[in-house]
């Protein structure tokens, strides 16, 4: 698909003069529905899933960045689209179940959160692998003010990120927290001046895209497995993945390069 209605898509490479690089690129997806603070209507989410999957299949891309245009990352699910829906409809459609397709991506996704990340916007950011906050970011789960509860992970991923008391406070009061607070409680990995946010996220993305792609995917898979497994299962999973990487060319290259005191030349094989 060449064009999208509600997102902007761009591929960036570390050396701008060479945008036909075979690897090492970062795929940038900007949520762009300015009239509604990038509220996540069904059509926007279809665009997003399509673009994420296209980058996941693109061998020239090693890392994906999701950000928002204007003063919001995303102000949540689209309230005007949802307001008149009935139980039977949302149940039969299993509303929001398909959003989790984002988490099936094999490459890392960085959420570069500018401005409002509320409700589904905060939940989308939490589905990503690394969350970096712009200094103007505000996070919240305000669904309680609409007579509902979070429906895309806000009661489940948030508690894993920040613990019970803070998660309860956020979902029960609907109050927003700042970028600084998000970092202090472990929701965000760091806070970046908003003007530099996207460039910093892309720079982090280039750093990741430069590593061996098989090991990068294995890191992501192993860390995410920790959310689903007991410690002993998780440690076994990690060790087996570690062993498996000895079947890759990148392991031979990475270790030889260290011993030869040179930069590794990874090929993602
Ligand atoms: N859905 C649909 N439209 C939205 C929206 C949303 N979630 N958030 C904002 N908009 C629209 C507004 O209706 C407004 O449109 P009009 O200009 O046509 O009136 C436009 O975006 C600008 O918004 P505001 O005028 O409200 O801007 P503001 O700067 O005064 O306030 C805000 C910003 C605090 C983010 C406020 O817009 C707001 O509270 N938005 C709703 C946040 C929310 O409740 N999100 C949770 C949604 S439910 C959910 O996400 C369920 C889930 O778990 C997946």
């Amino acid at each position: 698909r060449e064009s999208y209605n509600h997102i902007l898509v761009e591929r960036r490479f570390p050396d701008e003069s060479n945008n036909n690089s075979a690897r090492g690129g970062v795929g940038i997806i900007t949520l762009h529905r300015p009239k509604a603070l990038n509220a996540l209507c069904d059509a926007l989410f279809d665009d997003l899933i399509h673009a994420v999957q296209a980058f996941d299949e693109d061998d020239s891309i090693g890392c994906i960045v999701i950000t928002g245009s204007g003063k919001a990352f995303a102000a949540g699910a689209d309230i005007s689209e949802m307001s008149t829906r009935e139980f039977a409809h949302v149940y039969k459609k299993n509303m929001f179940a398909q959003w989790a397709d984002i988490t099936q991506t094999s490459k890392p996704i960085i959420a570069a959160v500018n401005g409002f990340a509320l409700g589904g916007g905060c939940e989308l950011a939490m589905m990503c692998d690394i969350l970096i906050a712009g200094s103007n970011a505000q996070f919240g789960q305000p669904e309680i003010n609409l007579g509902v509860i979070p429906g895309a992970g806000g009661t489940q991923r948030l508690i894993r990120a920040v613990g019970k008391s803070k998660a309860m406070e956020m979902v029960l009061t609907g109050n927003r927290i700042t970028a600084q607070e998000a970092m202090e409680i472990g929701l965000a990995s760091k806070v970046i001046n908003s003007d530099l946010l996207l460039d910093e996220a892309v720079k982090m993305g280039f750093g990741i895209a430069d590593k061996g792609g098989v090991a990068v995917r294995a890191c992501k898979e192993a860390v995410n497995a920790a959310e689903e497994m007991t410690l002993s299962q998780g440690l076994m999973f990690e060790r087996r993945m570690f062993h498996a990487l000895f079947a890759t060319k990148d392991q031979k290259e990475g270790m030889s390069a260290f011993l030869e005191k040179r930069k590794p030349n990874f090929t993602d094989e």
Side-chain angles (χ1 to χ4, degrees):
R1 206 154 100 184
E2 286 300 305
S3 71
Y4 296 102
N5 290 325
H6 301 301
I7 61 173
L8 308 171
V9 171
E10 181 191 343
R11 294 149 90 243
R12 242 187 248 181
F13 292 88
D15 176 1
E16 286 298 342
S17 62
N18 175 16
N19 60 7
N20 287 318
S21 307
R23 68 185 300 281
V26 170
I28 305 170
I29 300 170
T30 304
L31 310 176
H32 184 66
R33 228 190 128 207
K35 283 188 310 215
L37 299 178
N38 307 326
L40 304 164
C41 60
D42 291 345
L44 187 157
F45 226 94
D46 282 350
D47 282 358
L48 176 61
I49 290 170
H50 187 279
V52 163
Q53 287 173 346
F55 281 142
D56 207 28
E57 285 164 21
D58 181 342
D59 286 341
S60 70
I61 297 297
C63 189
I64 300 165
V65 172
I66 300 179
T67 193
S69 66
K71 64 176 187 175
F73 178 74
D78 190 298
I79 300 168
S80 39
E81 197 173 63
M82 278 187 298
S83 62
T84 57
R85 285 182 181 164
E86 298 290 344
F87 167 76
H89 173 85
V90 299
Y91 182 67
K92 286 191 288 185
K93 290 272 181 200
N94 205 4
M95 186 166 76
F96 301 147
Q98 64 278 21
W99 285 20
D101 288 358
I102 299 287
T103 65
Q104 300 306 308
T105 313
S106 72
K107 292 170 190 169
I109 307 181
I110 301 172
V113 178
N114 55 301
F116 296 114
L118 304 180
C122 187
E123 292 167 308
L124 169 61
M126 290 191 289
M127 285 180 205
C128 299
D129 301 299
I130 302 174
L131 192 170
I132 64 181
S135 46
N136 64 350
Q138 290 189 47
F139 299 84
Q141 296 291 161
E143 288 90 343
I144 191 74
N145 298 326
L146 301 169
V148 290
I149 70 168
T155 66
Q156 302 300 304
R157 290 197 178 89
L158 189 59
I159 187 175
R160 285 163 169 80
V162 307
K164 175 174 162 176
S165 186
K166 197 72 212 179
M168 279 289 190
E169 183 188 326
M170 287 177 70
V171 301
L172 288 173
T173 67
N175 291 344
R176 306 201 283 259
I177 62 169
T178 62
Q180 186 62 30
E181 195 175 356
M183 184 184 69
E184 282 161 12
I185 64 178
L187 182 59
S189 73
K190 57 163 110 185
V191 181
I192 304 283
N193 182 310
S194 350
D195 297 335
L196 307 173
L197 175 67
L198 183 58
D199 284 344
E200 286 295 321
V202 171
K203 201 160 114 192
M204 185 187 281
F206 284 148
I208 294 168
D210 195 37
K211 320 280 188 221
V214 181
V216 164
R217 285 172 174 78
C219 276
K220 168 166 170 162
E221 215 175 326
V223 173
N224 281 333
E227 307 247 284
E228 310 280 352
M229 290 180 179
T230 65
L231 178 60
S232 57
Q233 286 170 332
L235 290 169
M236 172 67 98
F237 182 82
E238 176 192 85
R239 206 158 54 243
R240 289 290 181 249
M241 295 282 270
F242 179 80
H243 297 158
L245 289 164
F246 284 73
T248 64
K249 290 182 184 157
D250 284 344
Q251 175 265 332
K252 299 290 176 289
E253 170 61 12
M255 294 193 182
S256 307
F258 176 82
L259 295 172
E260 292 161 16
K261 302 189 190 302
R262 61 176 174 82
K263 201 177 168 289
N265 185 19
F266 292 126
T267 54
D268 307 329
E269 286 174 354

